Amino acid sequence: VGKLPRVNGFWKMPKKDKKIKVEEEVPPPASFDLSQLTSQLQGSANELYSKLPSGNELVNDPMAHLPEVGVVTGIVTVLVILMTKFFMRAPTKKEEQAPVIKKMQSKDVHPSAIEHKETLRTPLLKEAFKAADRSGDGNISIDELMAFGEFVGGKDWTKAECEEHFKATDTSHDGKISEEEFQVFSAEQTQHIDSVVFQAMIHSFTEVQDINEKRRGLILNVYDKIDVQKKGHINKEDMKLFGHFMNPKFDNDRLEKLMTQMDLTKSGGVDKNEFLGYFAKLSKSTADKPFESAMTKYAKFDLQAAKDKAKQEANGKH
């Protein structure tokens, strides 16, 4: 596309001749039913008290029924103590994570998520963690998680989602996410994604973190020239017009290839992060001067003018 060089190996399939270590997925802990426990305890208490002697029997011969009273009282006391300790204790990590984990696990698990977990996904997430840790302190902040989540979740990833996942992922409650916590979170959040798409997403994310602010600004400026209506994505029709502006020989075949490479989430459009990631990867080996020259040329794109020209050409054929 245009004059920018294409980087080879971006869509390379993971090797299939390696032995894959398959691990069984641990189901989320079952939710605790307070009403059920209360009902069971109440039933047990009623049964125990029904065995106690009547008031008259206790008055007539209190010592005769002392063992029964002691046993029943002791059992009830133990039940009360256990119940109190259960409700007063701090929630376990599994119980605390259960609602969010259940939500994340509701998505379909792609077979490659298990097949390539050790050979491909874990190493890639290690790279993503280093790239996401912009501060270099060895942990991920909520802002850094937000930036990573936008690449994985796209437009569905909101600030509220980020805060919810951050709270569940931060099992140490120290206000930051370690690499181990990040691995668990990311594995759950991306388990529905094919490994090829997953690899492309992580590569795209890491490349974007490496580019400087000037290049980032130039790329996003071009994006804004296409998404003039601020829809949050570029549809196929507008991308075709932009592609033809970059290269007059740009046809439908090239459009399909470009959309396949850019639309990582398979949404039918290209969002800002996908656009940014594509050009960041594509221009990695390009020097600053030719890169700036190309971006300056692309920034001259006028969507409305391109639509009018395409309409005129279509009318001229009829």
Side-chain angles (χ1 to χ4, degrees):
V1 179
K3 297 182 179 180
L4 294 179
R6 185 178 301 281
V7 179
N8 294 324
F10 185 67
W11 294 99
K12 184 184 293 183
M13 285 287 291
K15 295 182 179 180
K16 296 183 178 180
D17 56 347
K18 293 185 178 180
K19 292 183 178 180
I20 308 298
K21 179 181 178 183
V22 179
E23 297 182 0
E24 292 185 1
E25 297 219 358
V26 179
S31 59
F32 175 71
D33 192 336
L34 175 60
S35 61
Q36 184 178 358
L37 177 62
T38 303
S39 177
Q40 290 174 349
L41 288 174
Q42 185 175 0
S44 299
N46 290 338
E47 183 180 353
L48 290 171
Y49 277 111
S50 68
K51 297 180 181 179
L52 287 174
S54 64
N56 291 333
E57 289 179 287
L58 287 174
V59 172
N60 294 333
D61 192 0
M63 298 304 293
H65 300 283
L66 186 59
E68 298 174 32
V69 176
V71 171
V72 174
T73 304
I75 293 175
V76 174
T77 302
V78 170
L79 286 173
V80 172
I81 292 173
L82 290 176
M83 186 175 177
T84 302
K85 284 188 175 182
F86 182 87
F87 287 111
M88 294 301 291
R89 68 174 174 78
T92 64
K93 291 181 180 180
K94 286 186 177 181
E95 289 172 342
E96 196 171 58
Q97 287 181 307
V100 175
I101 290 177
K102 184 176 181 181
K103 182 176 182 181
M104 290 190 290
Q105 290 182 334
S106 64
K107 300 176 180 178
D108 294 333
V109 179
H110 197 281
S112 63
I114 299 175
E115 182 184 359
H116 303 137
K117 180 180 179 182
E118 299 296 332
T119 59
L120 178 71
R121 293 185 176 237
T122 297
L124 282 174
L125 287 175
K126 192 176 185 67
E127 294 179 16
F129 179 83
K130 292 180 180 178
D133 179 20
R134 303 284 290 179
S135 62
D137 63 352
N139 294 286
I140 299 293
S141 67
I142 191 167
D143 291 335
E144 291 168 338
L145 182 66
M146 183 69 188
F148 175 74
E150 286 179 344
F151 267 82
V152 177
K155 61 183 180 181
D156 295 329
W157 183 256
T158 63
K159 186 176 181 180
E161 285 276 334
C162 181
E163 292 174 349
E164 181 183 1
H165 284 75
F166 188 90
K167 184 178 179 180
T169 307
D170 179 21
T171 56
S172 57
H173 305 291
D174 57 0
K176 50 193 175 183
I177 295 176
S178 66
E179 183 176 344
E180 181 180 358
E181 292 169 331
F182 179 80
Q183 284 276 357
V184 174
F185 157 76
S186 301
E188 295 284 357
Q189 186 66 11
T190 60
Q191 62 185 356
H192 63 292
I193 301 175
D194 174 80
S195 286
V196 178
V197 177
F198 175 85
Q199 184 179 22
M201 278 185 171
I202 298 301
H203 282 168
S204 179
F205 175 73
T206 54
E207 293 296 337
V208 167
Q209 305 312 303
D210 288 340
I211 64 173
N212 58 45
E213 290 301 318
K214 185 175 183 180
R215 287 200 174 202
R216 180 190 294 261
L218 288 170
I219 296 172
L220 292 180
N221 183 45
V222 175
Y223 175 86
D224 290 337
K225 293 292 183 177
I226 309 172
D227 183 23
V228 292
Q229 296 180 347
K230 307 299 179 183
K231 296 178 293 186
H233 69 277
I234 301 172
N235 59 35
K236 185 180 288 189
E237 291 75 18
D238 291 350
M239 186 61 73
K240 182 178 181 180
L241 293 172
F242 176 66
H244 191 266
F245 175 80
M246 291 192 296
N247 183 353
K249 295 181 180 181
F250 191 83
D251 54 17
N252 287 331
D253 288 340
R254 295 190 181 189
L255 173 65
E256 293 299 327
K257 292 179 181 179
L258 181 63
M259 291 299 294
T260 298
Q261 293 179 352
M262 298 185 79
D263 182 17
L264 300 180
T265 57
K266 308 302 178 185
S267 63
V270 177
D271 64 29
K272 184 174 293 187
N273 286 317
E274 290 171 331
F275 190 89
L276 181 61
Y278 174 81
F279 277 99
K281 182 73 177 181
L282 197 65
S283 61
K284 186 176 181 180
S285 59
T286 306
D288 287 341
K289 190 171 182 179
F291 176 80
E292 291 176 14
S293 177
M295 290 296 106
T296 300
K297 174 186 174 182
Y298 299 158
K300 294 178 181 179
F301 175 71
D302 186 322
L303 180 63
Q304 188 57 53
K307 287 183 176 181
D308 293 340
K309 182 179 179 181
K311 188 175 181 179
Q312 290 175 359
E313 291 176 352
N315 292 334
K317 294 179 180 180
H318 293 296

